[in-house]
């Protein structure tokens, strides 16, 4: 996507629309493109994406989305969370609980996708949670209450998980 040409009524809305497609491959391609764009765009464009934080957060469901799709959705949430408005939008989109579920599910679901894809989902979820906790004590409290520290410690101390996962936690 070209940041100079993307606006609320152009390619970005097509990507957002793709997040709702019945085909998991279309959802995966759309969130991958949106994650690539969000990683390199301006705060103004992140604010436009933040309007759709609940739609992005829906793709964090480990029972219906592939680990790869979860990783890209978590990447978008991590990028949204660099700004206070993005943090608020992600929290309103129930991202905290969904990111914790990504960590819990992928750390114990050896039969769900490749180890690399599960690690990517967990590392991006951890990065998003880290960004969401920046200057937000209620989010930190919610993470503790949901048991996230134990999950993160388990990931960090397990020989099964590669360095890519440990790098983001």
């Amino acid at each position: 996507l070209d940041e100079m040409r993307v606006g609320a009524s152009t390619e970005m809305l097509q990507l957002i629309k793709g997040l709702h497609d019945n085909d998991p491959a279309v959802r995966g391609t759309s969130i991958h493109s949106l994650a690539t764009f969000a990683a390199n765009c301006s705060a103004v464009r992140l604010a436009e994406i933040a309007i759709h934080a609940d739609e992005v957060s829906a793709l964090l469901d480990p029972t219906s989305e592939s680990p790869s799709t979860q990783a890209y959705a978590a990447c978008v949430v991590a990028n949204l969370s660099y700004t206070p408005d993005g943090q608020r939008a992600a929290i309103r989109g129930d991202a905290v609980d969904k990111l914790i579920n990504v960590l819990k599910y992928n750390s114990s679901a050896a039969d769900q996708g490749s180890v690399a894809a599960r690690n990517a989902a967990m590392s991006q979820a951890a990065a998003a949670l880290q960004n969401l906790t920046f200057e937000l004590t209620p989010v930190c409290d919610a993470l503790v209450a949901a048991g996230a520290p134990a999950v993160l410690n388990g990931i960090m101390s397990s020989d099964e998980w590669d360095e890519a996962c440990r790098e983001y936690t």
Side-chain angles (χ1 to χ4, degrees):
L1 295 175
D2 179 357
E3 182 163 345
M4 298 304 293
R5 295 184 306 123
V6 172
S9 63
T10 58
E11 292 99 340
M12 192 170 68
L13 283 183
Q14 288 300 320
L15 293 177
I16 299 297
K17 183 179 176 184
L19 303 181
H20 300 279
D21 200 279
N22 289 331
D23 184 348
V26 173
R27 290 192 307 272
T29 299
S30 295
I31 194 66
H32 178 213
S33 296
L34 194 60
T36 301
F37 179 68
N40 299 298
C41 70
S42 68
V44 171
R45 297 297 184 215
L46 284 175
E48 290 174 354
I49 297 170
I51 294 167
H52 304 280
D54 58 331
E55 296 159 275
V56 171
S57 292
L59 297 181
L60 293 168
D61 183 354
T63 63
S64 64
E65 301 297 339
S66 71
S68 178
T69 295
Q70 296 167 52
Y72 289 123
C75 179
V76 172
V77 172
N79 283 293
L80 289 178
S81 300
Y82 282 124
T83 68
D85 288 339
Q87 284 178 318
R88 285 188 289 277
I91 291 166
R92 279 192 307 271
D94 200 25
V96 173
D97 289 338
K98 291 175 181 179
L99 290 163
I100 292 169
N101 285 338
V102 168
L103 291 172
K104 289 180 177 179
Y105 188 85
N106 284 292
S107 67
S108 63
D111 61 333
Q112 299 297 318
S114 72
V115 171
R118 289 193 328 268
N119 283 349
M122 289 188 298
S123 64
Q124 291 297 328
L129 287 168
Q130 178 182 353
N131 290 355
L132 283 168
T133 60
F134 182 71
E135 296 184 0
L136 292 175
T137 302
V139 174
C140 295
D141 293 343
L143 293 177
V144 171
V151 175
L152 290 168
N153 286 334
I155 293 167
M156 293 291 291
S157 61
S158 173
D159 290 335
E160 182 179 338
W161 307 108
D162 67 13
E163 292 301 318
C165 185
R166 290 182 180 94
E167 176 181 326
Y168 289 95
T169 56

